[in-house]
Amino acid sequence: MYKIIKSIRGMHDYLPEELKLWNYIENIIKEVLNSYCYLEIRLPILEKTEIFQRAIGNVTDIIEKEMYSFEDRKGSNITLRPEGTIGCVRAIIQNNLLYKKKQKFWYFGPMFRYERPQKGRYRQFYQFGAEVFGIDGEDIDLEIILLTYRIWKRLGLENNIILEINSIGSQLDRIKYKKKLIFFLKKYEYLLDEDCKRRLYTNPLRILDSKNKDVQEILTKAPLLNEYLDTASQNHFQSLCKMMDIHGIPYRHNKYLVRGLDYYSSTVFEWKNFELGSQNTICAGGRYDSLFEELNTNKISGIGFAIGMERLVLLMQKLNIFFPTVREVDIYIIIIGNHNTFHATALSEEIRNLYPKLKIFIDFSDDNISKKIKHAANILAPIAIFIGDNEIKKKCFLVKDLVHKKQYYILKSDILIKINHFFKIIK
Ligand code: ATP
Ligand code: MG
């Protein structure tokens, strides 16, 4: 017995049935992004390892343990992208896009992280991301939040996803705060888990993000980052909150919210659904005003977000949200007698020439006719056309209207007109 070769752990096949919902969601997200004039950008899946090391920060989950990195045949260090922002910033710099007044982008594609696979957490997963460059004011933070909120509304999820938002200030604010936080946490060091103990001296801010209940309890007494923000960051955040109120966007100011990656600053946010267990963040983002400098260029501000598609799909499925499906097949061609396949193909090509949008399925299987009709009905094909010796000889096809349960013979010369009537095709 041969052992069946399976896909790599944490990397999944996305099958046609499931992809109906994916396509529905993808189309809505693209429509919303288009309505805000964000431009699509497609980026390589592989980047040089150093770009992630430099920009993400060495003491983050991604760099410490999640990257798929390897040497190529010439010994260069390359990495399967764990996220999209850095590649996007690299592309903007490399292609001088900012000078061409192109500022708002979106991308969609797979990301790779070596994590422990579980529901909503995979090693290959898809993100829809958007990034905006060179706009400092809080209006763009508001736009990004309105845009994401509009996506949830379009998907019927606005009552199921809640926005958590915070400001993590400038790098200087965080340096001041880090000292205070370390001082405080040292008193409780013996109570911290191993991860937090390690982070205490390397990346203490990440402790605020801990999912450990005991650590969360200790943190309730910890000094808060927002007490250390400079006036500019405070004003930025307050003004953003005010504008969100005016636009009626519900949000929760989560003072413990920090983001996993080092490059964030000022506004950070996450859209969550608390019924999804610990994989509850559907979309995460924020400002990154120092990322460009990390990559050796002028200071250019940035803001972006990424939606985890698998988690969004899981939520839509969990909530049983209705979505319209598109018909798989319009015309189902049933061949009677194997030697008539040529005529079936010829007729379907003729139909496609005239009506390029119609979906025509030729059943090449050996199944008997009743099985073929059953299949046509199961996939909700509205019309079946039979092609057998008789039909070919008489140049007259049997057409079954599976919607109105009628059948009639139509001359080959009339069939294209009849199809037009049936599908009410307006050209
Ligand atoms: P988490 O805390 O859940 O690990 P993260 O902070 O690492 O998330 P980001 O880097 O902000 O995640 O990525 C943005 C979004 O991408 C997440 O909110 C989530 O929806 C999705 N995402 C991240 N990692 C995974 C994964 N391994 N599998 C599926 N989706 C993921
Ligand atoms: Mg993570």
Side-chain angles (χ1 to χ4, degrees), residues 61-62 66 82-83 113 115 118 120-127 206 209 211 259-261 263-264 270-271 278-285 305-312:
D61 284 349
I62 291 186
E66 293 176 359
E83 55 95 84
R113 296 185 194 176
E115 304 207 60
Q118 50 199 294
R121 191 175 295 284
Y122 311 100
R123 290 183 175 171
Q124 175 174 336
F125 60 98
Y126 284 75
Q127 281 185 341
R206 282 307 310 275
D209 213 14
K211 291 181 175 111
R259 299 285 311 121
L261 315 180
Y263 56 67
Y264 282 103
E270 291 189 356
W271 289 94
S278 51
Q279 276 62 254
N280 57 17
T281 305
I282 307 282
C283 167
F305 67 82
I307 298 172
M309 270 299 282
E310 283 79 358
R311 292 188 194 175
L312 186 54

Side-chain angles (χ1 to χ4, degrees), residues 142 145-146 149 163 241 243-251 271:
L142 178 72
I145 285 164
L146 285 169
Y149 190 50
L163 174 64
C241 290
M243 291 196 292
M244 287 195 296
D245 289 335
I246 294 168
H247 281 274
I249 294 170
Y251 62 90
W271 289 94

Side-chain angles (χ1 to χ4, degrees), residues 33 47 56 94 118 129 152-153 168-169 191 197 215-216 225 233 235 238 241 244 261 264 269 318 342 356 402 411:
L33 285 160
E47 295 274 357
I56 294 182
Q94 187 174 336
Q118 50 199 294
W152 316 140
K153 281 196 286 194
I168 57 168
L191 291 173
K197 269 186 190 147
V215 177
Q216 285 175 353
L225 173 55
S233 297
N235 290 344
Q238 276 166 12
C241 290
M244 287 195 296
L261 315 180
Y264 282 103
F269 64 87
K318 196 177 155 71
F342 175 82
L402 298 167
L411 278 174

Side-chain angles (χ1 to χ4, degrees), residues 201-387:
Y201 299 98
T202 52
N203 192 355
L205 247 70
R206 282 307 310 275
I207 299 177
L208 299 181
D209 213 14
S210 170
K211 291 181 175 111
N212 180 331
K213 290 265 177 293
D214 300 331
V215 177
Q216 285 175 353
E217 178 64 32
I218 298 169
L219 287 171
T220 55
K221 292 173 250 144
L224 287 168
L225 173 55
N226 64 320
E227 287 159 12
Y228 293 83
L229 300 191
D230 59 22
T231 326
S233 297
Q234 276 180 31
N235 290 344
H236 185 106
F237 190 63
Q238 276 166 12
S239 161
L240 174 61
C241 290
K242 223 181 262 166
M243 291 196 292
M244 287 195 296
D245 289 335
I246 294 168
H247 281 274
I249 294 170
Y251 62 90
R252 198 167 81 89
H253 181 187
N254 177 353
K255 293 174 181 165
Y256 298 99
L257 185 72
V258 287
R259 299 285 311 121
L261 315 180
D262 262 7
Y263 56 67
Y264 282 103
S265 52
S266 185
T267 312
V268 292
F269 64 87
E270 291 189 356
W271 289 94
K272 293 182 176 174
N273 170 281
F274 288 99
E275 286 145 49
L276 283 181
S278 51
Q279 276 62 254
N280 57 17
T281 305
I282 307 282
C283 167
R287 277 201 164 267
Y288 44 89
D289 294 341
S290 56
L291 181 55
F292 276 82
E293 284 171 291
E294 298 288 341
L295 299 177
N296 285 349
T297 70
N298 308 334
K299 191 172 185 328
I300 294 164
S301 59
I303 181 166
F305 67 82
I307 298 172
M309 270 299 282
E310 283 79 358
R311 292 188 194 175
L312 186 54
V313 167
L314 277 173
L315 183 62
M316 294 281 288
Q317 287 167 336
K318 196 177 155 71
L319 297 171
N320 234 332
I321 299 231
F322 170 81
F323 69 97
T325 45
V326 277
R327 196 164 48 216
E328 276 173 50
V329 171
D330 295 318
I331 299 173
Y332 195 106
I333 303 218
I334 294 177
I335 307 165
I336 308 165
N338 279 345
H339 53 285
N340 292 325
T341 53
F342 175 82
H343 294 279
T345 303
L347 177 67
S348 28
E349 286 305 295
E350 260 183 80
I351 303 173
R352 284 192 195 100
N353 286 343
L354 217 58
Y355 310 118
K357 287 194 177 152
L358 284 184
K359 298 169 192 165
I360 305 155
F361 178 84
I362 308 177
D363 189 338
F364 288 114
S365 74
D366 296 333
D367 291 341
N368 62 35
I369 295 176
S370 66
K371 226 171 169 183
K372 286 180 180 174
I373 297 174
K374 222 181 205 166
H375 184 230
N378 277 346
I379 58 169
L380 304 177
I383 280 189
I385 302 178
F386 292 73
I387 301 183

